Amino acid sequence: HADGQALAWQIEERGIELDSANLARLVKRKQALSMEILERTRPIAPGCREVLERLSQRFLLALASSSSDQTVALFWEASQCREYFKVVRTGSQVLQAKPHPAIYLDTLSALGCDTAWVVEDAVEGIRAAVAAGCSVIGVEGTFSASRLLAAGAQKTVSSIQELPGLL
């Protein structure tokens, strides 16, 4: 499962050693906390729906999320924007997590494309998209613009409101 693999990669990057039982407990806890936060805070960027509507009039949109099916379902409920996406791939559907390019390669295949612009807010996601042959716009928030660019993003934005002007 990609969600567990992503967490294992992040733990390994920090030099922490965990056995599979403890890793499985951490994965379950992370998933539970993610669901709780999504249910409680509904963290949808201002103008998200409007930006997606504008972009979907010019481009085929896809979501390639490392999150579980449950977490993505909560996002759809909170954002009310599922209709704008032609293809959806989640961490539950791939065996290898970002930074492995599997989720992007699968998404590109489903779209019938060889490459695409990817909008990412995470370093691992940027690395995965670049490895899949995509160009990336990094969205500041979790990581600074300099970290997003260092990971391989070609451009950065501080808000998704800037995306229609860049694409």
Side-chain angles (χ1 to χ4, degrees):
H1 189 284
D3 198 27
Q5 194 178 38
L7 184 59
W9 180 82
Q10 291 172 354
I11 290 169
E12 184 179 301
E13 282 270 305
R14 289 162 179 78
I16 300 168
E17 291 185 31
L18 280 181
D19 60 35
S20 59
N22 281 322
L23 177 60
R25 279 194 285 281
L26 278 177
V27 168
K28 283 188 178 205
R29 182 69 181 136
K30 177 193 169 279
Q31 289 171 337
L33 287 172
S34 294
M35 295 290 285
E36 183 181 313
I37 290 168
L38 263 176
E39 287 173 349
R40 191 172 12 135
T41 63
R42 306 289 180 160
I44 306 302
C48 173
R49 191 170 165 75
E50 293 78 12
V51 168
L52 292 172
E53 183 174 2
R54 286 180 63 194
L55 292 175
S56 70
Q57 292 169 359
R58 297 174 40 214
F59 305 102
L60 294 176
L61 301 184
L63 179 72
S65 174
S66 293
S67 298
S68 68
D69 290 340
Q70 286 179 308
T71 303
V72 171
L74 266 179
F75 169 75
W76 294 137
E77 183 184 319
S79 68
Q80 297 295 303
C81 60
R82 171 63 180 95
E83 67 190 276
Y84 302 118
F85 293 84
K86 180 179 180 186
V87 172
V88 177
R89 293 295 183 265
T90 68
S92 304
Q93 298 169 310
V94 294
L95 297 176
Q96 296 169 299
K98 298 173 186 177
H100 192 280
I103 196 164
Y104 284 115
L105 293 170
D106 185 52
T107 303
L108 288 169
S109 177
L111 286 170
C113 301
D114 293 328
T115 190
W117 274 101
V118 170
V119 177
E120 258 292 350
D121 65 350
V123 167
E124 294 87 357
I126 291 170
R127 290 179 182 152
V130 170
C134 296
S135 300
V136 182
I137 297 174
V139 180
E140 296 174 51
T142 308
F143 295 97
S144 67
S146 61
R147 293 244 355 242
L148 299 171
L149 291 166
Q154 282 78 23
K155 303 175 184 185
T156 63
V157 294
S158 58
S159 162
I160 64 164
Q161 300 282 349
E162 298 171 56
L163 290 174
L166 281 179
L167 297 170

